[in-house]
Amino acid sequence: VTVFIPRDAAALALGAERVAAAVARAARERGLDIRIVRTGSRGMLWLEPMVEVATDAGRIAYGPVRPDDVGPLFEAGFLAGGAHALRIGPPEAHPYLARQQRLTFARCGVIDPVSVAEYRAQGGYRGLAAALRLGPAATVEAVKASGLRGRGGAGFPTGVKWATVMGAQAPRKYVVCNADEGDSGTFADRMLMEGDPLTLVEGMTIAALAVGAARGYIYCRSEYPHAFAALNEAIAAAEGAGLLGPDVMGSGQAFHLEARLGAGAYICGEETSLLESLEGRRGIVRAKPPIPALKGLFGQPTLVNNVLSFAAIPWILEHGGSAYAAYGMGRSLGTLPIQLAGNVRHGGLIETAFGLTLRAVIEEFGGGTLSGRPVRAAQVGGPLGAYFPEALFDTPMDYEAFAARKGLLGHGGVVVFDDTVDLARQARFAFEFCAAESCGKCTPCRIGAVRGVETLDKVLAGESPRENLALLTDLCEVMTDGSLCAMGGLTPVPVMSALTHFPDDFSGRGAAMP
Ligand code: NAI
């Protein structure tokens, strides 16, 4: 009997390692011969650690399993899918998963993340095989036809970026994966790197062969030790199978891939700071232009994409660009891995076609707040995203729809707050965050953030609130228009959304502030 237990960091934080040990021990004591496979997470985080068993009727899940539950589970015959209070049934049939369209995350939580054999058995490397048949130009055309836009948050058309790098003339080119997932409330990059890193490796390989790069780097944040370990195991496994290295899949073309660890700076998720850091320097933003696609790592044309952008590629090449473009709405095509977090009952990963409303995400998937109190706000798009009030919850998950309401979808993070949230405090936090994380190169960001905290404190202390609010609005305009990158440029988004949608929170209750 095969038992699947996640090695995903969220499951580990909830005790998956102890559960795995308890399962092994219980089987030994009962003289049962079982095989434990460590997988990624399916992304239903309130059910972790979720344990699955392979039965004659397919996989049956149980969760959340604590070490104490393991004995009773064996007694209940869980190895054959027996009844127990923790029995969930076939995981794919769970409404949370059944309502999703898992293209990028199809294998996450299903396979042993670092087994090339299992990866290939589940359709892995069909995308690369297709890309090798098509050749570079048609591969880039397929990416263009898919409508894929940068999943890191900016939503720039991926195919256009690939074409720019492909067309650049230079002695060397690079592909770089941005795995510095710094946004609070986001975890899709991590889940994929821990649960199905070969999808990222395959996507980067397809990209490298298309744009003409022989070397690639994955820049992984230091806060992700499990992801970093899984990446290195996956890279070694792919090398061992001839899928990376001097002769990729017998094509005669070389692609060498390495994972590198950052040192814990939000700004190193900004692509030019990331490149500085990869080159061994302090992570400071470079002015654009020149764009990295033309002059990036070591001054050479460099394709920088987010984990989720690269990870969408194998599916697109296997099934064709138009099959991917059949999902979604408007100019937001394909699927978006939404990360639902904060004060919510059922937090987790929701990969679905663009177009689902924010309300469906929070209410139908999330099941409302964990506290049981009414939802008051949701911040979408990370710490630099807007706070939306309930009145805007019918906004569809679509880049343009969010932009039209002065918000952003970003990397797909949704953080839910109940009615105890103080939006003035959240606005202040945005400035504090920017002051702490600014690289310091440009004045609007470096000084604006500090002045923002001071001015907001004056408003909240009831000190000439009208004048100071006007000053604050002015400051936000300067930061938006004058900052060198999105760090300073987007900090006004949470601030202004809080002011616009929750003005009552700014009516001067100085004592409430720290
Ligand atoms: P951007 O709009 O400046 O650039 C997007 C991408 O398109 C870049 O890679 C850029 O080099 C490329 N590009 C632009 N013009 C091009 C052209 N003509 N040809 C080829 N490539 C071109 O946005 P930026 O500053 O890269 O990203 C900002 C976004 O990052 C924000 O919207 C935010 O949502 C997101 N973000 C994500 C975080 C995360 O943890 N994933 C953290 C913080 C921000």
Side-chain angles (χ1 to χ4, degrees):
V1 182
T2 307
V3 179
F4 303 89
I5 305 175
R7 55 180 267 178
D8 174 277
L12 293 177
L14 291 162
E17 206 58 53
R18 279 179 292 127
V19 170
V23 170
R25 195 179 330 109
R28 215 168 33 243
E29 283 165 8
R30 290 164 176 78
L32 297 168
D33 186 24
I34 64 163
R35 186 171 74 102
I36 297 179
V37 174
R38 303 305 296 271
T39 63
S41 169
R42 299 263 193 177
M44 299 189 282
L45 297 179
W46 75 101
L47 295 176
E48 292 291 2
M50 190 169 95
V51 176
E52 297 179 27
V53 236
T55 73
D56 296 340
R59 275 158 80 155
I60 300 293
Y62 296 82
V65 178
R66 285 168 297 119
D68 299 354
D69 297 320
V70 170
L73 278 169
F74 272 84
E75 300 314 316
F78 95 112
L79 290 182
H84 185 279
L86 297 179
R87 189 180 191 276
I88 294 161
E92 297 85 2
H94 191 289
Y96 204 84
L97 278 182
R99 273 185 290 172
Q100 299 190 28
Q101 283 97 36
R102 290 217 165 176
L103 310 185
T104 300
F105 281 82
R107 286 173 288 254
C108 189
V110 178
I111 62 166
D112 173 350
V114 296
S115 161
V116 170
E118 282 193 30
Y119 181 72
R120 296 192 88 155
Q122 297 279 338
Y125 280 105
R126 285 189 203 148
L128 177 57
L132 288 172
R133 277 195 304 275
L134 289 171
T139 298
V140 173
E141 278 315 308
V143 177
K144 278 190 183 165
S146 75
L148 179 68
R149 293 166 69 181
R151 296 286 187 262
F156 186 83
T158 306
V160 173
K161 198 191 273 190
W162 285 33
T164 309
V165 182
M166 182 172 70
Q169 299 301 316
R172 271 170 297 130
K173 296 180 191 176
Y174 297 97
V175 290
V176 170
C177 173
N178 186 342
D180 193 74
E181 187 175 41
D183 275 358
S184 43
T186 67
F187 46 83
D189 295 354
R190 178 188 62 68
M191 266 186 62
L192 189 105
M193 291 188 283
E194 291 174 358
D196 190 18
L198 286 163
T199 293
L200 170 59
V201 171
E202 184 184 351
M204 290 186 74
T205 309
I206 294 168
L209 300 188
V211 304
R215 194 163 283 281
Y217 298 95
I218 303 170
Y219 186 90
C220 178
R221 71 197 298 244
S222 63
E223 292 88 340
Y224 284 176
H226 304 94
F228 188 63
L231 285 173
N232 282 316
E233 286 177 65
I235 289 170
E239 278 169 354
L243 298 161
L244 278 179
D247 180 16
V248 172
M249 229 184 192
S251 65
Q253 298 176 73
F255 180 52
H256 300 276
L257 182 59
E258 271 178 63
R260 291 294 173 90
L261 211 51
Y266 184 74
I267 199 61
C268 286
E270 195 286 329
E271 60 179 359
T272 63
S273 292
L274 186 156
L275 296 174
E276 285 287 304
S277 175
L278 258 186
E279 289 179 13
R281 283 191 291 275
R282 186 174 142 194
I284 295 182
V285 171
R286 297 177 185 168
K288 289 194 282 190
I291 53 172
L294 297 175
K295 199 166 179 293
L297 191 64
F298 303 114
Q300 304 301 314
T302 304
L303 179 70
V304 186
N305 275 151
N306 174 255
V307 172
L308 301 179
S309 308
F310 280 126
I313 296 297
W315 195 97
I316 291 169
L317 267 296
E318 182 187 349
H319 300 272
S322 53
Y324 191 77
Y327 294 89
M329 67 174 278
R331 290 180 49 228
S332 302
L333 300 176
T335 59
L336 176 70
I338 298 163
Q339 301 120 85
L340 183 57
N343 190 339
V344 69
R345 272 179 70 199
H346 298 153
L349 182 92
I350 305 161
E351 182 182 355
T352 132
F354 286 90
L356 195 74
T357 64
L358 179 57
R359 187 182 305 284
V361 171
I362 296 170
E363 293 175 5
E364 289 168 28
F365 282 92
T369 61
L370 184 64
S371 61
R373 301 182 65 94
V375 177
R376 181 153 186 254
Q379 188 180 30
V380 181
L384 310 182
Y387 290 96
F388 273 15
E390 210 263 335
L392 291 181
F393 283 5
D394 292 316
T395 308
M397 304 298 280
D398 162 78
Y399 292 114
E400 280 66 42
F402 267 74
R405 291 161 183 79
K406 294 191 162 48
L408 49 120
L409 264 192
H411 187 52
V414 176
V415 178
V416 181
F417 297 84
D418 74 9
D419 61 350
T420 61
V421 67
D422 178 347
L423 270 304
R425 221 188 169 99
Q426 295 302 118
R428 188 182 191 275
F429 170 71
F431 281 130
E432 279 183 301
F433 181 76
C434 183
E437 298 292 344
S438 172
C439 80
K441 181 155 175 171
C442 75
T443 312
C445 176
R446 182 184 69 245
I447 300 195
V450 178
R451 295 290 173 259
V453 174
E454 291 169 3
T455 312
L456 197 46
D457 279 347
K458 285 182 191 160
V459 173
L460 295 167
E463 211 178 292
S464 319
R466 288 172 66 106
E467 289 76 2
N468 277 312
L469 272 179
L471 199 59
L472 196 72
T473 308
D474 198 31
L475 173 69
C476 281
E477 254 174 57
V478 171
M479 288 180 73
T480 303
D481 296 341
S483 297
L484 206 48
C485 83
M487 174 86 245
L490 294 180
T491 294
V493 174
V495 175
M496 292 310 293
S497 62
L499 257 171
T500 307
H501 303 305
F502 305 92
D504 292 352
D505 289 16
F506 292 81
S507 56
R509 293 147 305 124
M513 298 306 294

